[in-house]
Structure formats: C-alpha cells, structure tokens
Amino acid sequence: MIATHVYDALSQVRRLQALILARKNFQGYSGVARMASGTVVVGAAMVLNSDLVPRSVMAHLGGWAFVMGLAMVINYGALAYWYFTDPEAKTSPMSLFPAIDAVPALAAGGILSAALVMWGHFNLLQGVWMLLFGVAHTGYRLSLPRANYFVGMFYMVCGTAYLAYGEEPFTNPWPMGIVFFAGEWLGGWIFWRSRAENGNGSG
C-alpha cells in the first residue's frame, strides 16, 4: 500500500512538472507564420535562380534583404496579433520578454554581415546567416519547446559546413533556399504542435 501511495505521488509530481513546463513555454510565435517564411525563402531562391534577376552580387543581396524584411513582417506581425488577442498575454508586461532573447545573436549577424559586405567577402554571407540564426535559437532553450533547440543546431551545422566548404558563390541561392525552407518548416511544425497541445489556437 505504501508503494502505491508513493507511485501516485510520483505520478502527480510528473503531471505537475509537465503543467509547469507547458505554462513556461513561450506561446507567442506562430508555427504557420514560420512555415510561411520558409516558403518565402525557397520561393525567393527560385526567383533569384531565374532569368528575372541579374547574376550580380548586389541584385542577390537586395533580394535576400527583401526576404528578411518580409519574414520579419510575417513573424512579428503574428507575434503582435497573439499579444493583442490572447487574454493571458496582456496580463503581464513581461509576456513578450522571451521574444527579446534572439536580439543579441541577430544583431551580431547584422553587424558581421555589414562587415563582410564592406570588405567584399560575399561568399561567406549565407554561411554566416545560417550559423548565427542557429545561435539565435539557443537563447530560447528554456522558453521554447526543447525540439526548437535542435533546429538551431541544424542551422549551425549547415552554416559550419557551408563556411568550411567555402567555394559556393553568393549568387547561388539554393543553399539558403534549401536550409531555411527545411529549418523553418520543421521549426514551424514544432511551434504549431506546441500551441495545439496547450490549447492556444491553430498555431
């Protein structure tokens, strides 16, 4: 009988831990928005690889800058929608704090990108973007589903491999297109599943 009580107590502790983790996970990011961003990236790769865009570094740099801006509008627009429509999100001014976790890594990526462009090292840009976007995921280790951390590791491995290879021209858009399409769809599915399991809408 004592063993039964101990087992019941442990079961309750596990359920409580699961509930705490579920409540701790940041639910502000949209899986659908993230998958849409991945689709935008692979669509951009198709356009940049076509005859519609000149095979020049500056044309491709402008194309990727446009993609980054559009992806930010999609994802942060979804974040704002969540904040203003979720009753629990507005109860605490700190509910958006986890969204700031990625800012240092993304800022470092912007600074390093500007330096590489300034010195003409365009062939390193795609690898740096993959690597630092992966690093940005690590700041979310305690506030997002654990699987998202491994998506970050995927980006870091891809970025490291790209930089180690070092021979792919910047005007080949497919490394970015393939890696970010796969990473954003996987990450989006993780967010969608997390929000669905916690009853936070369609994701």
Side-chain angles (χ1 to χ4, degrees):
M1 184 174 293
I2 294 176
T4 301
H5 288 311
V6 170
Y7 178 79
D8 290 341
L10 290 174
S11 297
Q12 291 178 5
V13 169
R14 292 192 195 98
R15 285 195 294 269
L16 182 60
Q17 287 176 333
L19 179 61
I20 292 172
L21 288 173
R23 298 287 295 175
K24 184 175 67 172
N25 281 342
F26 180 58
Q27 300 296 323
Y29 287 133
S30 166
V32 174
R34 189 165 183 181
M35 287 186 263
S37 298
T39 304
V40 168
V41 174
V42 77
M46 293 178 184
V47 173
L48 291 172
N49 196 54
S50 70
D51 295 332
L52 298 173
V53 179
R55 292 282 179 172
S56 71
V57 168
M58 297 312 297
H60 280 244
L61 191 62
W64 288 126
F66 174 80
V67 169
M68 180 191 71
L70 183 56
M72 289 181 67
V73 169
I74 292 172
N75 285 280
Y76 286 103
L79 176 64
Y81 177 80
W82 164 80
Y83 179 75
F84 288 112
T85 59
D86 189 299
E88 293 185 10
K90 292 187 290 185
T91 59
S92 172
M94 295 189 298
S95 59
L96 286 175
F97 276 18
I100 304 173
D101 290 344
V103 171
L106 296 178
I111 294 169
L112 185 54
S113 296
L116 291 174
V117 169
M118 184 185 304
W119 292 101
H121 299 300
F122 299 101
N123 290 357
L124 300 177
L125 283 172
Q126 293 191 42
V128 167
W129 293 339
M130 295 173 199
L131 185 62
L132 288 179
F133 194 65
V135 172
H137 283 67
T138 62
Y140 292 115
R141 187 168 188 174
L142 298 179
S143 57
L144 289 180
R146 183 180 301 177
N148 184 71
Y149 181 82
F150 295 102
V151 175
M153 296 302 295
F154 163 76
Y155 277 114
M156 292 180 68
V157 168
C158 291
T160 301
Y162 186 96
L163 293 173
Y165 182 66
E167 296 181 5
E168 202 63 37
F170 178 69
T171 52
N172 177 10
W174 286 116
M176 276 285 292
I178 293 171
V179 170
F180 276 80
F181 176 75
E184 293 308 278
W185 268 80
L186 179 58
W189 179 79
I190 291 168
F191 286 172
W192 176 85
R193 186 184 66 174
S194 175
R195 292 184 71 171
E197 288 176 350
N198 289 285
N200 286 300
S202 60

